[in-house]
Amino acid sequence: RKMSYGDDGQKKKRKWDVPAVDQPVAADGGTSAAAAAKKINMMLHSQGIANSNAFEEDVEINNCRSETRYYLCKGTTHDEIGEKTAAIIKVRGKFKAPGEVSTERALHLNVTAPSQKQLEDALTWIYDAIKSDQTKAQTAQPITFVHRINIGMEGCDPHFNLLAKILGPNNGFIDHIVSSSKASVSLRGRGSGYLVDGRESNEPMHLYINGSTKVQADTAKGLCENLLSTIRTEYYNFKYILFNIST
């Protein structure tokens, strides 16, 4: 067989004479395969080409707490999941506040992966984060709005019966404020009869208001202040009558 030689007298190498270069094999074969699959998947996405062999699913995250939404929308989170599963995660839709009306779909994640197993692994990661969020939401203390209104009538003449004036017949005045505002209202402090661990607080007498919304708390506050204004006027008239009787 005739051999070909170059000008320098060295035998010319043909294309098939070049030895194959050994490719490095990662110690973690699964991670390497996932990385390769992810790279292909990302290339197709970047070129706007749908991977007909990809497996896809959407995950709703609109109702998660803000901290969890932020975590699930971060690129570093997507990269971490992608390195393990070869999944591609895209944020879609827009965040909708409670009661917001919009034709656009609510915030969600679009997850695609080269295989059903890889898709399931990625979804498990995401749903674990959502489940953790739900657990935190259940154990978190509810946000409340609180007002405290001092009665400001220390040393009131006992014959005026201040406690009954505030509470009303059969606690009717306080019950009216509660039903009108939907807030919790209680009379507390010295002389209130409100017991904590079997005794009254040593604080001055006051109305304690607790609402689950600002509107509830503010409505109750306004009603309580109106009640106290009426009681103070009534007490002024009471003292005026006593003064005239005594003179």
Side-chain angles (χ1 to χ4, degrees), residues 67-125:
E67 297 90 339
T68 304
R69 286 199 308 272
Y70 175 73
Y71 169 75
L72 290 174
C73 290
K74 282 200 309 181
T76 51
T77 302
H78 301 169
D79 290 342
E80 187 177 3
I81 298 174
E83 287 174 5
K84 300 293 184 183
T85 66
I88 299 295
I89 301 173
K90 300 291 183 182
V91 180
R92 298 283 186 254
K94 61 164 283 188
F95 172 69
K96 291 186 180 181
E100 180 180 346
V101 179
S102 172
T103 56
E104 189 172 353
R105 185 173 170 184
L107 190 68
H108 63 282
L109 299 177
N110 175 258
V111 187
T112 59
S115 72
Q116 182 65 35
K117 174 65 168 58
Q118 289 166 320
L119 176 64
E120 290 173 356
D121 289 344
L123 292 176
T124 296
W125 190 302

Side-chain angles (χ1 to χ4, degrees), residues 116-161:
Q116 182 65 35
K117 174 65 168 58
Q118 289 166 320
L119 176 64
E120 290 173 356
D121 289 344
L123 292 176
T124 296
W125 190 302
I126 294 170
Y127 283 124
D128 282 348
I130 294 175
K131 184 177 180 180
S132 175
D133 175 77
Q134 292 171 341
T135 300
K136 290 177 182 177
Q138 290 171 355
T139 58
Q141 293 295 323
I143 298 174
T144 59
F145 297 82
V146 174
H147 291 302
R148 171 181 163 145
I149 304 175
N150 286 329
I151 305 303
M153 296 179 69
E154 296 282 326
C156 177
D157 190 314
H159 293 93
F160 182 67
N161 199 356

Side-chain angles (χ1 to χ4, degrees), residues 29-43 82-83 85-86 114 118:
T31 302
S32 178
K38 182 191 175 187
K39 186 174 182 180
I40 295 171
N41 210 13
M42 288 185 68
M43 182 180 68
E83 287 174 5
T85 66
Q118 289 166 320

Side-chain angles (χ1 to χ4, degrees), residues 155-170:
C156 177
D157 190 314
H159 293 93
F160 182 67
N161 199 356
L162 177 62
L163 187 62
K165 300 288 186 183
I166 297 172
L167 298 178
N170 299 316

Side-chain angles (χ1 to χ4, degrees), residues 15-80:
K15 210 170 199 180
W16 48 88
D17 289 330
V18 180
V21 179
D22 291 336
Q23 297 295 326
V25 179
D28 183 356
T31 302
S32 178
K38 182 191 175 187
K39 186 174 182 180
I40 295 171
N41 210 13
M42 288 185 68
M43 182 180 68
L44 292 173
H45 267 271
S46 66
Q47 296 175 0
I49 302 172
N51 185 352
S52 60
N53 295 321
F55 293 78
E56 180 176 3
E57 189 165 326
D58 289 342
V59 181
E60 304 294 333
I61 61 171
N62 189 82
N63 295 331
C64 293
R65 296 184 313 145
S66 58
E67 297 90 339
T68 304
R69 286 199 308 272
Y70 175 73
Y71 169 75
L72 290 174
C73 290
K74 282 200 309 181
T76 51
T77 302
H78 301 169
D79 290 342
E80 187 177 3

Side-chain angles (χ1 to χ4, degrees), residues 179-227:
S179 63
S180 298
S181 66
K182 310 305 180 187
S184 171
V185 181
S186 57
L187 184 64
R188 302 185 182 187
R190 291 189 299 270
S192 66
Y194 185 90
L195 304 181
V196 178
D197 296 329
R199 54 182 164 181
E200 287 181 346
S201 165
N202 196 36
E203 297 176 303
M205 188 186 294
H206 61 279
L207 285 164
Y208 182 84
I209 301 167
N210 189 330
S212 58
T213 68
K214 187 175 186 301
V215 171
Q216 290 179 357
D218 289 349
T219 300
K221 180 185 178 185
L223 291 170
C224 287
E225 288 175 339
N226 182 270
L227 172 63

